[in-house]
Amino acid sequence: MTHNTPLSPRPLQQLPEVHRRVLSTARLRSHGISTAELNERCRPGGPWQLLLPNVVLLHPGPPTDEERLHGALLYASRESAPGVPVQPSAQDPHRPVYTEAVITGLAALALYGFSSAPPLESLDRVDVLVPRQRRLRSTGYVRVLRTSALPTPCAVTGLPVAPVPRALADAVAELTDPGVVRRLLTEAVRGRHCEPAAVVRELTEAQLLTCPHVVDAVDLLLAEGRARAEEHLYRMVREYGLPDPVWNVDLRLPGGPHLGGLDAYWPEQAVAVELDTRAPRQGPREDDDAVWSQYARKREHLERLGITVVHITPKKLRDSLEQQAAVVRTALMASGDRDPAAYVVVLPR
């Protein structure tokens, strides 16, 4: 038997619990349920009910949150044969795998545990991403969102869920309450779900940075991200025994031009740390390139003056604090092997 050989269906009672309660009509037929029997069981007052087109709930009561999510994925997923979800080849070979269907929006954020997202039971709609070429309509409680590039899903409670930045963008696209948008974006950073830059990239891609309430929330998000990065920077100096720098300073040449702001500076060693908190914003790609060119020119100018500049991203501070401390320590130790730096004026920023 090859991996493409159809699997024989096993009895319904042997399926995983949720898949004994929500099944496609084609899957039921593969288990020997005839169309006539299916129609009889789904009649008003019958033991089953049609949850969505071609998706059956195998009990008469209201669906649970889990059943609604699996039903939405059953409805939206690509099937390998008429009505039969693609089957995996390991662990449980009879468990459906939902292909070309990913939960996104507020339902995804609720699955990630966002306290600022409505609980699943209060959502009257589940958003599902599918490839743009799919011919599939929104129906019932399922809203179909088409995308040219389906994101690689994360497995949350066994379900394919869009990464947090994409789920946020899809949720924000439908929200008009500035407070809700602000709380969702802020929680994404405070809860360490993702970096601000990743969120801004998705919002830019979705063309949402033309909305004033979204722009305001993004400004707060970036400020939140910078504050957290600064906390990590302070912690790095404290926990890894680095000498105390002067914090948040501006450098100037005596009687000359402004050289730029720095997050930490060691005057004796002429070593600086700059947090790279750039994030793509509204506008063409050339705008972001211009911002990076400005960063590069500033760094080159300082290094021509004999000042070593260490650029650190918030992600590196979060994920590899010890490694970043080693980079800074190496730069400090190497200062004795360099020519003396130009004299600069250090001012509070």
Side-chain angles (χ1 to χ4, degrees), residues 34-345:
S34 67
T35 300
E37 184 178 1
L38 179 61
N39 291 337
E40 174 63 20
R41 293 191 183 190
C42 289
R43 74 185 190 285
W48 294 354
Q49 55 185 307
L50 200 62
L51 183 62
L52 293 163
N54 298 315
V55 179
V56 179
L57 184 63
L58 274 62
H59 64 76
T64 65
D65 298 336
E66 183 184 33
E67 289 166 349
R68 292 176 79 237
L69 293 171
H70 281 277
L73 289 166
L74 265 181
Y75 169 72
S77 64
R78 171 76 73 179
E79 296 170 327
S80 58
V84 181
V86 174
Q87 306 288 339
S89 58
Q91 286 89 32
D92 184 356
H94 291 269
R95 181 185 180 90
V97 168
Y98 304 114
T99 59
E100 294 191 357
V102 177
I103 294 171
T104 191
L106 289 174
L109 298 179
L111 285 168
Y112 280 115
F114 272 63
S115 61
S116 52
L120 285 169
E121 60 268 20
S122 71
L123 293 177
D124 57 7
R125 185 179 66 203
V126 173
D127 291 336
V128 182
L129 282 170
V130 302
R132 189 178 302 279
Q133 65 271 20
R134 294 280 306 281
R135 293 185 177 182
L136 192 68
R137 294 183 177 181
S138 299
T139 187
Y141 65 87
V142 177
R143 186 171 73 126
V144 173
L145 302 179
R146 291 176 174 79
T147 179
S148 57
L150 198 67
T152 300
C154 303
V156 183
T157 66
L159 299 170
V161 180
V164 169
R166 178 58 191 265
L168 276 170
D170 289 330
V172 167
E174 298 299 313
L175 296 172
T176 57
D177 186 327
V180 174
V181 172
R182 183 172 60 252
R183 287 192 293 273
L184 286 172
L185 268 59
T186 300
E187 185 175 353
V189 176
R190 287 182 180 171
R192 301 184 180 183
H193 293 284
C194 58
E195 296 296 330
V199 177
V200 178
R201 274 193 295 270
E202 289 290 352
L203 294 174
T204 303
E205 183 70 22
Q207 300 181 352
L208 292 173
L209 292 182
T210 58
C211 307
H213 69 286
V214 177
V215 172
D216 291 343
V218 165
D219 289 339
L220 289 172
L221 173 73
L222 295 176
E224 180 78 20
R226 167 164 277 280
R228 291 194 65 84
E230 288 175 346
E231 288 175 9
H232 285 124
L233 187 58
Y234 299 149
R235 179 182 156 208
M236 180 189 77
V237 170
R238 183 178 66 251
E239 292 188 4
Y240 292 96
L242 297 174
D244 288 332
V246 288
W247 298 101
N248 295 314
V249 295
D250 275 319
L251 300 187
R252 290 181 181 273
L253 288 173
H258 174 255
L259 299 173
L262 297 169
D263 296 283
Y265 183 57
W266 288 264
E268 292 184 9
Q269 295 86 0
V271 172
V273 166
E274 184 168 29
L275 292 174
D276 184 359
T277 55
R278 292 175 303 118
R281 298 299 304 271
Q282 175 186 354
R285 172 65 178 266
E286 290 77 11
D287 290 352
D288 192 45
D289 291 342
V291 172
W292 172 244
S293 295
Q294 184 178 358
Y295 267 74
R297 285 194 301 271
K298 172 183 171 183
R299 180 174 184 171
E300 289 170 1
H301 190 181
L302 290 173
E303 292 189 341
R304 282 198 301 270
L305 295 171
I307 298 171
T308 299
V309 182
V310 179
H311 274 262
I312 305 179
T313 65
K315 186 176 189 303
K316 287 181 179 179
L317 280 174
R318 186 191 68 187
D319 297 342
S320 57
L321 199 61
E322 183 176 4
Q323 182 180 350
Q324 302 314 307
V327 171
V328 174
R329 181 178 289 107
T330 300
L332 293 170
M333 294 174 62
S335 64
D337 299 328
R338 303 194 311 265
D339 293 332
Y343 177 76
V344 296
V345 178

